[in-house]
Amino acid sequence: MSTARNPETLAWAYVSTVVQGPSRAVEQLIASRGVVDAAATMRTGDVPKAVWDRVSARAHLDTAAAGLDLMAAMDGRLVVPSDEEWPAWRFLGFERPDGALPTRDGGAPLALWVVGPAPVAPSTERAVAVVGTRAATSYGEHVTGEIAGDLAVDGWTVVSGGAYGIDGAAHRAALGVGGCTVAVLACGVDRAYPAGHERLLRRVSETGAVVSEYPPGTPPARYRFLSRNRLVAALCDGVVVVEAGWRSGARNTASWARALGRPVMAVPGPVTSASSTGCHRMIREGEARLVTGARDVVAEAGAVGAGVEDDDDRDALFGRDLDRLPQTPARVLDAFPASGARTVQQLSVDSGVPVSAVRSALVVLEIEGHAGRDETGWVRVDKVR
Amino acid sequence: MSTARNPETLAWAYVSTVVQGPSRAVEQLIASRGVVDAAATMRTGDVPKAVWDRVSARAHLDTAAAGLDLMAAMDGRLVVPSDEEWPAWRFLGFERPDGALPTRDGGAPLALWVVGPAPVAPSTERAVAVVGTRAATSYGEHVTGEIAGDLAVDGWTVVSGGAYGIDGAAHRAALGVGGCTVAVLACGVDRAYPAGHERLLRRVSETGAVVSEYPPGTPPARYRFLSRNRLVAALCDGVVVVEAGWRSGARNTASWARALGRPVMAVPGPVTSASSTGCHRMIREGEARLVTGARDVVAEAGAVGAGVEDDDDRDALFGRDLDRLPQTPARVLDAFPASGARTVQQLSVDSGVPVSAVRSALVVLEIEGHAGRDETGWVRVDKVR
C-alpha cells in the first residue's frame, strides 16, 4: 500500500523503472512535456518511436509506488534533476554535442535511487573513485587501504562500486577513518550485491550513500555493471585503479573517466603479479598516470574543474565556441542580460536550471571565458556571437 | 719490464693514463698531430692551455708501459679509435655540436681498456643496459634475472656496471644462459670492484668483456662512477632500470641515455618498496617508459638506429642541416665525390675514418637523407650546400 505522495516523484519513479538507465530520447520528452505528462504518455504509448522502443517492454509495470515505499522503509529517496542534491555538474560531460559518447548507455542518469545520509551533489563535490579487480592481492588491498584512507582523512569522498576486492577495501578504508564513501551499484539499492558485502553496504548507507540508477528490486546484470562504471567515473574528480587484470572492468571505468575528462590514475605493482597487469598496461599505453599514494592522487584530481584544467581536455569536452557549449551552461549563458550582473538565484529562475546546476554551469562558463564575477554578481564577459 | 711494442699503442696508453676520462681538447690535439706526437708534447707541456690544464698533474707519470704489460698478462688489450672493434657509432651522440652535453665529462672516451674475448663494437651492436640499485630486493633481483636472461637468450648483449644488486643480477643472468655480457667499470679493469664481485667479474671477462676508460690501477671514485654511467648508456640501444631509490645512480645513467637518444625504461614494483621509488618517479615524470619484461624492452630498444628512430630525437641529436652533423658522419660525407658511388673501403681511405666507423656514419647519413645506396655502392644524394 502506497502512501500519498507527490505526483512528480511518482512519475520519476515510474520513468526510472520502465527506462532503466540513461535515454536521451526520454530526457527530451521530459524536458518538453514535464515528467508527469511524459510518464502518462509513456504508459499509453503515445510517445515518439525512440522512446517507445525503449520503454514498451516495461511500460505496463506499476512498481513505482512500491519502489518508493521500499525506499521510504529503508530511509532512502529518489533523487531527480530538480532536487538540490542532484549532481548536475557531474553529468555535464555526458552532454557532448558531438555524440562521441554512446547515446544508449552514455547519458546522464534520469534519476538516482539513494540510501544514506550523504546528499549526492555536495558529498561528491571533492571525490575520487578508487576501483580495481575483485581478485585483489593482499598488496592491492593494503595499498587501497592506504590511498583511500589518506584521501578520506583529507576530506575526499571515496567512490567505488561496492564489489569484492579493491572496491570493498576502498569503502572499508574510508569508513575506517570516519570518512565519506559512496557505493554505486549495478542493481537496486535494496539488493545486497555481492551478498558477502551486505554488512559493508549497510555501513556505507549509514554514513555515506549507496546509489543506483536502477529501481529497487533490479538484479545485477553484465550491461548494468558497464553502465554503473560510467556513474562511478562521473561522480568523481579522478579515477584510481589499484589492481586490475589484463582485461578488467576497471579499465572500462577508466575509459569512461577519460571520455568525461577525468584524470585516470593507476597504481603499479610487482610485474610478477597478474593482478597488476592491467595497471601496467594502462600506464604503459599512456591511458593512466602512475600514482604511488594519496599525495600523487590529489595532485592529479585536485585541480579545479574536475579534470578540465588543461586546454586540450577542455577543448575535447566543450569545444572552443559557444555552439559547442554543453546544454546546461549554454542555457545559463542565455539567461544573462546583455549587460548588468545577476545572482545565481536570478539565473536559476531565468534559465529554469536548478541553483546547484547553475553554480556548476557558471564554473564552466568562467573557465571558458564567457562569464565572470564582479562585486554585484555574475556578468557575461564575452562578445555575443 | 716492458716488451717491445707499437709506439702508437704506447702513446694511447700514456694519453689515457694522464687524461683519465674524456677530453675534447685532447681529442683535437690527437686529431691534428697524431697520437704519438700529441703524447710527446703533452709530456713536455708544449700543448694548448686547455690540454695542459687537464694533464699537467699527471703528465710526468710513466705507467703506460706497465699498464700495457698488466693488460697483456691479463690477456686484455687497449682499444683505440683506429681499431676495428672501436664502437665509433656508439659515441656519435657525444659529438653534438651544440654543446648540450657537458664537455668535461661528456665526450667519447679516448680509449678503452678491455679484458675479455668479446670485441667491443660487434658485441654491443645489439645491447641493452640493465641497471639499478645496489640495495636490490629479492623481487628486483628476480625480475632482473628474468629480463636480462630473456634478452641474452634472444641474442642481446647485457651491459651493466658490475655493482652489487641489480647490476650483478643482470650480469649473472646473462652468464647463466650463456649469453654475452659487458661490465663497464669505474676503476681499472685489473681492480675487482666491488671486491665481492671478483669472481663474477672474472666470469664476465671469460666470455664477454670487462671495460674501463681508466688505466689499470685506477681506484674507483665518485666522479668516475658518474662518468662510467655515460659509457653504460652509450654502449647500448636502451637502458632498463629495474629498481632504483629516489636518488639513484641509475637515474644518472638514464639521464645520459636520454641525452644520447637511447630509450629509457623502468620496471615498476610495489609502491610499498623504497627500492622502486626511483623507477616510479621516472615513469611518472615521463622520463622512462614502463616495461614489465624482455618483450617490452625489445619493443623499445629494438628500433634500428639506436633510439634515433623518431624525428624529434633525431633532430635533437643531429639537427637538420649539414652544419649540425656530428663530426664523423660529416667527415665521411665530405669524402664523397660530387657524383659517382663509393665503397665503404674507399670512403674509409678517403676520409681517414676507420671502416667500422664509416659504416656507422653511413647509417646516420642515410637516415638524415644525405647518402644512399645504389647497385654500385654508396652515393651522396642531397644537394651540396
Side-chain angles (χ1 to χ4, degrees), chain A residues 96 101 233 239 241 250-265 282 285-289 307 313 316-317:
Chain A
R96 292 173 66 166
L101 292 174
V239 171
V241 183
R251 270 191 98 198
N252 173 256
T253 308
S255 299
W256 277 113
R258 269 194 307 284
L260 291 167
R262 313 274 196 266
V264 176
M265 296 153 271
M282 287 191 286
E285 303 300 328
E287 296 171 7
R289 187 94 190 267
D313 285 0
L317 267 181

mmCIF file of all heavy atoms in Angstrom, chain A residues 96 101 233 239 241 250-265 282 285-289 307 313 316-317:
data_model
loop_
_atom_site.group_PDB
_atom_site.id
_atom_site.type_symbol
_atom_site.label_atom_id
_atom_site.label_comp_id
_atom_site.label_asym_id
_atom_site.label_seq_id
_atom_site.Cartn_x
_atom_site.Cartn_y
_atom_site.Cartn_z
ATOM 1 N N ARG A 96 27.993 16.048 -24.373
ATOM 2 C CA ARG A 96 28.822 16.420 -25.522
ATOM 3 C C ARG A 96 28.004 16.442 -26.799
ATOM 4 O O ARG A 96 27.422 15.434 -27.189
ATOM 5 C CB ARG A 96 29.962 15.425 -25.682
ATOM 6 C CG ARG A 96 30.948 15.520 -24.571
ATOM 7 C CD ARG A 96 31.945 14.433 -24.682
ATOM 8 N NE ARG A 96 32.747 14.623 -25.882
ATOM 9 C CZ ARG A 96 33.881 13.959 -26.095
ATOM 10 N NH1 ARG A 96 34.297 13.085 -25.215
ATOM 11 N NH2 ARG A 96 34.571 14.164 -27.174
ATOM 12 N N LEU A 101 30.073 10.159 -27.128
ATOM 13 C CA LEU A 101 29.711 9.128 -26.164
ATOM 14 C C LEU A 101 28.488 8.380 -26.686
ATOM 15 O O LEU A 101 27.598 8.977 -27.268
ATOM 16 C CB LEU A 101 29.384 9.759 -24.806
ATOM 17 C CG LEU A 101 30.577 10.399 -24.085
ATOM 18 C CD1 LEU A 101 30.110 11.117 -22.842
ATOM 19 C CD2 LEU A 101 31.598 9.339 -23.736
ATOM 20 N N ALA A 233 32.657 6.873 -12.710
ATOM 21 C CA ALA A 233 33.576 7.832 -13.336
ATOM 22 C C ALA A 233 33.019 9.249 -13.291
ATOM 23 O O ALA A 233 33.762 10.218 -13.147
ATOM 24 C CB ALA A 233 33.858 7.425 -14.782
ATOM 25 N N VAL A 239 39.834 8.930 -11.299
ATOM 26 C CA VAL A 239 39.698 7.501 -11.026
ATOM 27 C C VAL A 239 41.079 6.904 -10.771
ATOM 28 O O VAL A 239 41.995 7.102 -11.568
ATOM 29 C CB VAL A 239 39.033 6.774 -12.216
ATOM 30 C CG1 VAL A 239 39.093 5.259 -12.029
ATOM 31 C CG2 VAL A 239 37.594 7.233 -12.372
ATOM 32 N N VAL A 241 42.943 3.338 -10.339
ATOM 33 C CA VAL A 241 42.839 1.886 -10.453
ATOM 34 C C VAL A 241 43.996 1.289 -9.658
ATOM 35 O O VAL A 241 45.159 1.576 -9.942
ATOM 36 C CB VAL A 241 42.917 1.431 -11.922
ATOM 37 C CG1 VAL A 241 42.734 -0.083 -12.013
ATOM 38 C CG2 VAL A 241 41.875 2.165 -12.762
ATOM 39 N N ALA A 250 37.787 -2.465 -14.443
ATOM 40 C CA ALA A 250 38.338 -1.177 -14.018
ATOM 41 C C ALA A 250 38.822 -0.369 -15.213
ATOM 42 O O ALA A 250 38.775 0.861 -15.206
ATOM 43 C CB ALA A 250 39.481 -1.402 -13.031
ATOM 44 N N ARG A 251 39.273 -1.076 -16.239
ATOM 45 C CA ARG A 251 39.689 -0.352 -17.454
ATOM 46 C C ARG A 251 38.495 0.325 -18.109
ATOM 47 O O ARG A 251 38.627 1.365 -18.739
ATOM 48 C CB ARG A 251 40.337 -1.303 -18.461
ATOM 49 C CG ARG A 251 41.837 -1.434 -18.277
ATOM 50 C CD ARG A 251 42.436 -2.156 -19.459
ATOM 51 N NE ARG A 251 43.002 -1.247 -20.428
ATOM 52 C CZ ARG A 251 43.269 -1.583 -21.692
ATOM 53 N NH1 ARG A 251 42.997 -2.795 -22.127
ATOM 54 N NH2 ARG A 251 43.777 -0.706 -22.516
ATOM 55 N N ASN A 252 37.320 -0.334 -17.985
ATOM 56 C CA ASN A 252 36.100 0.254 -18.524
ATOM 57 C C ASN A 252 35.766 1.548 -17.771
ATOM 58 O O ASN A 252 35.458 2.582 -18.380
ATOM 59 C CB ASN A 252 34.968 -0.779 -18.424
ATOM 60 C CG ASN A 252 33.619 -0.216 -18.812
ATOM 61 O OD1 ASN A 252 32.798 0.066 -17.940
ATOM 62 N ND2 ASN A 252 33.388 -0.030 -20.104
ATOM 63 N N THR A 253 35.869 1.497 -16.463
ATOM 64 C CA THR A 253 35.654 2.711 -15.665
ATOM 65 C C THR A 253 36.643 3.795 -16.089
ATOM 66 O O THR A 253 36.288 4.966 -16.234
ATOM 67 C CB THR A 253 35.831 2.398 -14.164
ATOM 68 O OG1 THR A 253 35.011 1.275 -13.828
ATOM 69 C CG2 THR A 253 35.453 3.589 -13.311
ATOM 70 N N ALA A 254 37.888 3.371 -16.312
ATOM 71 C CA ALA A 254 38.921 4.331 -16.727
ATOM 72 C C ALA A 254 38.577 4.953 -18.077
ATOM 73 O O ALA A 254 38.778 6.151 -18.291
ATOM 74 C CB ALA A 254 40.284 3.636 -16.782
ATOM 75 N N SER A 255 38.048 4.146 -18.992
ATOM 76 C CA SER A 255 37.667 4.680 -20.302
ATOM 77 C C SER A 255 36.581 5.739 -20.155
ATOM 78 O O SER A 255 36.614 6.785 -20.810
ATOM 79 C CB SER A 255 37.142 3.564 -21.212
ATOM 80 O OG SER A 255 38.138 2.613 -21.416
ATOM 81 N N TRP A 256 35.610 5.451 -19.307
ATOM 82 C CA TRP A 256 34.563 6.442 -19.055
ATOM 83 C C TRP A 256 35.161 7.721 -18.492
ATOM 84 O O TRP A 256 34.781 8.830 -18.882
ATOM 85 C CB TRP A 256 33.510 5.894 -18.083
ATOM 86 C CG TRP A 256 32.490 5.052 -18.777
ATOM 87 C CD1 TRP A 256 32.293 3.713 -18.629
ATOM 88 C CD2 TRP A 256 31.522 5.506 -19.735
ATOM 89 N NE1 TRP A 256 31.268 3.295 -19.441
ATOM 90 C CE2 TRP A 256 30.772 4.369 -20.126
ATOM 91 C CE3 TRP A 256 31.228 6.741 -20.296
ATOM 92 C CZ2 TRP A 256 29.742 4.443 -21.064
ATOM 93 C CZ3 TRP A 256 30.198 6.822 -21.227
ATOM 94 C CH2 TRP A 256 29.479 5.683 -21.603
ATOM 95 N N ALA A 257 36.085 7.546 -17.555
ATOM 96 C CA ALA A 257 36.695 8.728 -16.941
ATOM 97 C C ALA A 257 37.396 9.574 -17.995
ATOM 98 O O ALA A 257 37.266 10.794 -18.021
ATOM 99 C CB ALA A 257 37.676 8.299 -15.842
ATOM 100 N N ARG A 258 38.142 8.909 -18.876
ATOM 101 C CA ARG A 258 38.822 9.660 -19.925
ATOM 102 C C ARG A 258 37.831 10.391 -20.814
ATOM 103 O O ARG A 258 38.009 11.552 -21.151
ATOM 104 C CB ARG A 258 39.694 8.738 -20.773
ATOM 105 C CG ARG A 258 41.117 8.615 -20.265
ATOM 106 C CD ARG A 258 42.009 7.983 -21.320
ATOM 107 N NE ARG A 258 41.462 6.725 -21.814
ATOM 108 C CZ ARG A 258 41.514 5.593 -21.136
ATOM 109 N NH1 ARG A 258 42.082 5.544 -19.947
ATOM 110 N NH2 ARG A 258 40.989 4.501 -21.631
ATOM 111 N N ALA A 259 36.734 9.675 -21.175
ATOM 112 C CA ALA A 259 35.725 10.297 -22.033
ATOM 113 C C ALA A 259 35.110 11.514 -21.349
ATOM 114 O O ALA A 259 34.712 12.470 -22.005
ATOM 115 C CB ALA A 259 34.645 9.273 -22.384
ATOM 116 N N LEU A 260 35.053 11.466 -20.038
ATOM 117 C CA LEU A 260 34.459 12.574 -19.282
ATOM 118 C C LEU A 260 35.482 13.623 -18.882
ATOM 119 O O LEU A 260 35.164 14.591 -18.191
ATOM 120 C CB LEU A 260 33.773 12.031 -18.018
ATOM 121 C CG LEU A 260 32.509 11.197 -18.253
ATOM 122 C CD1 LEU A 260 32.111 10.468 -16.984
ATOM 123 C CD2 LEU A 260 31.369 12.087 -18.739
ATOM 124 N N GLY A 261 36.733 13.419 -19.287
ATOM 125 C CA GLY A 261 37.757 14.407 -18.967
ATOM 126 C C GLY A 261 38.297 14.308 -17.555
ATOM 127 O O GLY A 261 38.917 15.239 -17.066
ATOM 128 N N ARG A 262 38.041 13.175 -16.882
ATOM 129 C CA ARG A 262 38.581 12.993 -15.528
ATOM 130 C C ARG A 262 39.965 12.357 -15.619
ATOM 131 O O ARG A 262 40.179 11.450 -16.429
ATOM 132 C CB ARG A 262 37.702 12.050 -14.704
ATOM 133 C CG ARG A 262 36.221 12.333 -14.755
ATOM 134 C CD ARG A 262 35.819 13.361 -13.731
ATOM 135 N NE ARG A 262 34.378 13.356 -13.536
ATOM 136 C CZ ARG A 262 33.528 14.152 -14.173
ATOM 137 N NH1 ARG A 262 33.972 15.019 -15.062
ATOM 138 N NH2 ARG A 262 32.239 14.091 -13.920
ATOM 139 N N PRO A 263 40.890 12.773 -14.778
ATOM 140 C CA PRO A 263 42.192 12.100 -14.777
ATOM 141 C C PRO A 263 42.057 10.636 -14.380
ATOM 142 O O PRO A 263 41.274 10.298 -13.495
ATOM 143 C CB PRO A 263 42.994 12.863 -13.713
ATOM 144 C CG PRO A 263 42.161 13.979 -13.240
ATOM 145 C CD PRO A 263 40.786 13.842 -13.794
ATOM 146 N N VAL A 264 42.815 9.807 -15.054
ATOM 147 C CA VAL A 264 42.856 8.381 -14.739
ATOM 148 C C VAL A 264 44.235 8.057 -14.190
ATOM 149 O O VAL A 264 45.245 8.464 -14.762
ATOM 150 C CB VAL A 264 42.576 7.526 -15.990
ATOM 151 C CG1 VAL A 264 42.717 6.042 -15.665
ATOM 152 C CG2 VAL A 264 41.195 7.832 -16.539
ATOM 153 N N MET A 265 44.243 7.385 -13.078
ATOM 154 C CA MET A 265 45.500 7.045 -12.422
ATOM 155 C C MET A 265 45.551 5.543 -12.179
ATOM 156 O O MET A 265 44.514 4.904 -12.021
ATOM 157 C CB MET A 265 45.588 7.779 -11.078
ATOM 158 C CG MET A 265 45.640 9.294 -11.209
ATOM 159 S SD MET A 265 44.984 10.171 -9.756
ATOM 160 C CE MET A 265 43.234 10.306 -10.202
ATOM 161 N N MET A 282 47.838 0.130 -18.677
ATOM 162 C CA MET A 282 47.278 1.482 -18.814
ATOM 163 C C MET A 282 48.368 2.546 -18.703
ATOM 164 O O MET A 282 48.359 3.546 -19.417
ATOM 165 C CB MET A 282 46.191 1.721 -17.764
ATOM 166 C CG MET A 282 44.909 0.968 -18.055
ATOM 167 S SD MET A 282 43.528 1.503 -17.003
ATOM 168 C CE MET A 282 44.009 0.750 -15.463
ATOM 169 N N GLU A 285 50.549 2.386 -21.894
ATOM 170 C CA GLU A 285 49.874 2.906 -23.087
ATOM 171 C C GLU A 285 49.518 4.389 -22.941
ATOM 172 O O GLU A 285 48.869 4.957 -23.818
ATOM 173 C CB GLU A 285 48.599 2.103 -23.365
ATOM 174 C CG GLU A 285 48.794 0.595 -23.542
ATOM 175 C CD GLU A 285 49.717 0.278 -24.716
ATOM 176 O OE1 GLU A 285 49.705 1.046 -25.686
ATOM 177 O OE2 GLU A 285 50.461 -0.726 -24.637
ATOM 178 N N GLY A 286 49.879 4.965 -21.834
ATOM 179 C CA GLY A 286 49.559 6.376 -21.641
ATOM 180 C C GLY A 286 48.097 6.616 -21.298
ATOM 181 O O GLY A 286 47.608 7.743 -21.362
ATOM 182 N N GLU A 287 47.385 5.553 -20.925
ATOM 183 C CA GLU A 287 45.976 5.715 -20.568
ATOM 184 C C GLU A 287 45.801 6.158 -19.123
ATOM 185 O O GLU A 287 44.733 6.642 -18.746
ATOM 186 C CB GLU A 287 45.215 4.388 -20.772
ATOM 187 C CG GLU A 287 45.156 3.929 -22.202
ATOM 188 C CD GLU A 287 44.592 2.524 -22.331
ATOM 189 O OE1 GLU A 287 44.122 1.956 -21.324
ATOM 190 O OE2 GLU A 287 44.641 1.985 -23.442
ATOM 191 N N ALA A 288 46.816 5.930 -18.311
ATOM 192 C CA ALA A 288 46.729 6.300 -16.896
ATOM 193 C C ALA A 288 48.067 6.845 -16.443
ATOM 194 O O ALA A 288 49.117 6.458 -16.954
ATOM 195 C CB ALA A 288 46.343 5.086 -16.043
ATOM 196 N N ARG A 289 48.016 7.738 -15.476
ATOM 197 C CA ARG A 289 49.228 8.276 -14.874
ATOM 198 C C ARG A 289 49.596 7.411 -13.676
ATOM 199 O O ARG A 289 48.713 7.034 -12.902
ATOM 200 C CB ARG A 289 48.935 9.707 -14.421
ATOM 201 C CG ARG A 289 50.132 10.476 -13.918
ATOM 202 C CD ARG A 289 50.759 11.289 -15.020
ATOM 203 N NE ARG A 289 52.044 11.854 -14.597
ATOM 204 C CZ ARG A 289 52.186 13.063 -14.072
ATOM 205 N NH1 ARG A 289 51.135 13.842 -13.923
ATOM 206 N NH2 ARG A 289 53.366 13.493 -13.699
ATOM 207 N N GLY A 307 39.157 18.031 -13.590
ATOM 208 C CA GLY A 307 39.982 17.420 -14.631
ATOM 209 C C GLY A 307 39.972 18.173 -15.948
ATOM 210 O O GLY A 307 40.596 17.755 -16.894
ATOM 211 N N ASP A 313 42.084 19.099 -22.861
ATOM 212 C CA ASP A 313 40.939 18.415 -22.278
ATOM 213 C C ASP A 313 39.690 19.269 -22.411
ATOM 214 O O ASP A 313 38.606 18.791 -22.733
ATOM 215 C CB ASP A 313 41.173 18.147 -20.793
ATOM 216 C CG ASP A 313 42.153 17.012 -20.581
ATOM 217 O OD1 ASP A 313 42.617 16.464 -21.595
ATOM 218 O OD2 ASP A 313 42.448 16.695 -19.422
ATOM 219 N N ALA A 316 38.398 19.237 -25.792
ATOM 220 C CA ALA A 316 37.774 17.960 -26.116
ATOM 221 C C ALA A 316 36.371 17.891 -25.533
ATOM 222 O O ALA A 316 35.449 17.370 -26.138
ATOM 223 C CB ALA A 316 38.622 16.815 -25.570
ATOM 224 N N LEU A 317 36.223 18.432 -24.328
ATOM 225 C CA LEU A 317 34.917 18.344 -23.682
ATOM 226 C C LEU A 317 33.937 19.367 -24.220
ATOM 227 O O LEU A 317 32.787 19.060 -24.493
ATOM 228 C CB LEU A 317 35.060 18.584 -22.181
ATOM 229 C CG LEU A 317 35.235 17.361 -21.302
ATOM 230 C CD1 LEU A 317 35.324 17.808 -19.860
ATOM 231 C CD2 LEU A 317 34.090 16.387 -21.471
#
